[in-house]
Amino acid sequence: MTDDLRAVAWTGTALRLIDQTVLPARLEYLDVEDVDGLVAAITTLTVRGAPALGAAGAYGVAIALLQGVREGWDEATATAAIARVREARPTAVNLAGGVDRVLPHVSGGVEAVLAEADRVVAEDLAANRAIGAYGADWILARVERRPLRVLTHCNTGALATAGWGTALGIVRELHARGVLDRVYVDETRPLLQGSRLTAWELAHEGIEHYVQADGAAAGTILRGLADVAVIGADRVAANGDVANKIGSVGVALACADAGIPFVVAAPTTTLDPGTARGDDIHIEERAEEEILTVAGLRVAPAASRAHNPAFDVTPARLVSALVTEAGVTTPAGH
Ligand SMILES: CSC[C@H]1O[C@H](OP(=O)(O)O)[C@H](O)[C@@H]1O
């Protein structure tokens, strides 16, 4: 069922998004035809995940061109609208990358932009399959235990990409090879991409999984209940530092202490040679209410404030393997 899941798809006139804010309760789609709607969908995580944001950014240029024709925009207005899409979320390099990838095709008209955006999607889908194979090969060559118990954080599956998934693509590949025992799924507060989205994908495929509190991850690892941790990325700096969902660096530290591999899976479109180090990565700070409320109900005292970074940075020295469609590198020297 999730094998042909498409978080982002062009309908011919609109960008059709799976509304990830209402999963797992409902599978609903949102058709976006204007820039305001796309920016809102990105900032509310209706569409989310670095590669899926890359696709949304690429198609977002087409949306801006079509809206500009409908509304008689001049070039400056269209340029400003495209910039709003590009800057809707700062950390995942793929969003800006998707916009920048198709901009050179604007002179060819909206059909040329759409054709390039389609290539962005096709390339990401192929990349995810390659990541799954390379990642599974690397893990199976280094972790003896069978079947494997994998820990993952946030959602890196078909919902976060053009399909199949990055870290969850490796999980799918291990499952397909018959060597996966279970997956420990960090719920990933505050927006619960793990318990809502990763669990939904795994449940649909009958992959045994256990949702856990983010705070349980270190104990699960240090108690020897997991053999490997596999996570995604939103931006990989030139020195190998990895920006990913908040909580990732804690998983990496526990893996280092426990001596199990910490594997990062990402397409090369998430590598950012223009950013030297992790400290240079803009970490998105989100609304305090996401922390201070649960299901819309305030849980903290009225006087309390919240600190809500959406990402953290794992230093390269803690990354056992970085798996892309080009192969595997071992920043930590494993
Ligand atoms: C396959 S990239 C997924 C990556 O994106 C997520 O962030 P968000 O849900 O805020 O878009 C998270 O960092 C995942 O690892």
Side-chain angles (χ1 to χ4, degrees):
M1 181 265 179
T2 50
D3 193 28
D4 57 3
L5 202 67
R6 295 295 177 262
V8 178
W10 186 253
T11 67
T13 57
L15 188 57
R16 178 159 293 167
L17 306 174
I18 290 177
D19 181 350
Q20 300 189 37
T21 65
V22 298
L23 282 173
R26 303 187 308 277
L27 176 56
E28 292 182 355
Y29 293 84
L30 174 70
D31 284 355
V32 176
E33 294 182 290
D34 62 69
V35 168
D36 285 348
L38 180 57
V39 170
I42 292 169
T43 55
T44 58
L45 281 75
T46 298
V47 58
R48 47 144 301 277
L53 290 174
Y59 286 115
V61 175
I63 287 173
L65 294 179
L66 290 168
Q67 184 178 357
V69 170
R70 292 197 305 269
E71 300 181 10
W73 288 355
D74 60 20
E75 185 175 346
T77 304
T79 300
I82 291 168
R84 287 180 54 226
V85 173
R86 190 179 190 279
E87 294 156 12
R89 291 184 75 195
T91 305
V93 66
N94 299 64
L95 176 55
V99 170
D100 295 348
R101 166 81 182 264
V102 305
L103 280 179
H105 299 270
V106 167
S107 56
V110 70
E111 289 309 317
V113 167
L114 286 170
E116 191 65 15
D118 290 345
R119 284 188 284 272
V120 168
V121 169
E123 288 170 12
D124 186 64
L125 192 53
N128 289 335
R129 290 286 184 165
I131 289 166
Y134 280 132
D137 290 345
W138 189 91
I139 290 168
L140 291 170
R142 286 161 183 79
V143 180
E144 290 182 10
R145 192 185 191 280
R146 298 292 184 273
L148 286 164
R149 302 159 302 170
V150 177
L151 184 144
T152 196
H153 193 75
C154 198
N155 173 256
T156 60
L159 291 169
T161 64
W164 190 249
T166 56
L168 215 59
I170 295 174
V171 167
R172 286 190 161 102
E173 179 69 19
L174 291 170
H175 177 66
R177 297 187 190 184
V179 292
L180 180 69
D181 173 3
R182 64 183 62 189
V183 184
Y184 290 100
V185 176
D186 288 353
E187 64 180 350
T188 315
R189 273 192 46 77
L191 298 181
L192 303 178
Q193 289 93 325
S195 55
R196 295 190 302 109
L197 306 178
T198 295
W200 182 75
E201 291 196 46
L202 295 178
H204 271 282
E205 293 177 36
I207 297 176
E208 184 173 344
H209 61 284
Y210 298 82
V211 178
Q212 65 181 7
D214 298 325
T220 297
I221 292 166
L222 293 179
R223 288 171 60 198
L225 300 179
D227 305 301
V228 59
V230 189
I231 71 164
D234 291 83
R235 190 183 297 247
V236 182
N239 73 341
D241 292 347
V242 176
N244 196 55
K245 184 54 51 200
I246 192 72
S248 299
V249 70
V251 172
L253 289 166
C255 287
D257 191 77
I260 69 167
F262 178 78
V263 177
V264 174
T268 53
T269 49
T270 304
L271 307 184
D272 179 14
T275 296
R277 305 170 53 248
D279 290 346
D280 303 325
I281 297 173
H282 182 168
I283 299 298
E284 178 186 6
E285 295 277 347
R286 292 186 61 84
E288 297 185 33
E289 286 68 28
E290 291 179 355
I291 300 291
L292 296 171
T293 64
V294 174
L297 180 68
R298 178 131 184 157
V299 292
S304 300
R305 299 290 304 275
H307 171 52
N308 187 14
F311 301 94
D312 60 24
V313 175
T314 298
R317 60 182 169 80
L318 296 177
V319 178
S320 307
L322 173 61
V323 185
T324 74
E325 69 276 21
V328 183
T329 55
T330 53
H334 287 240

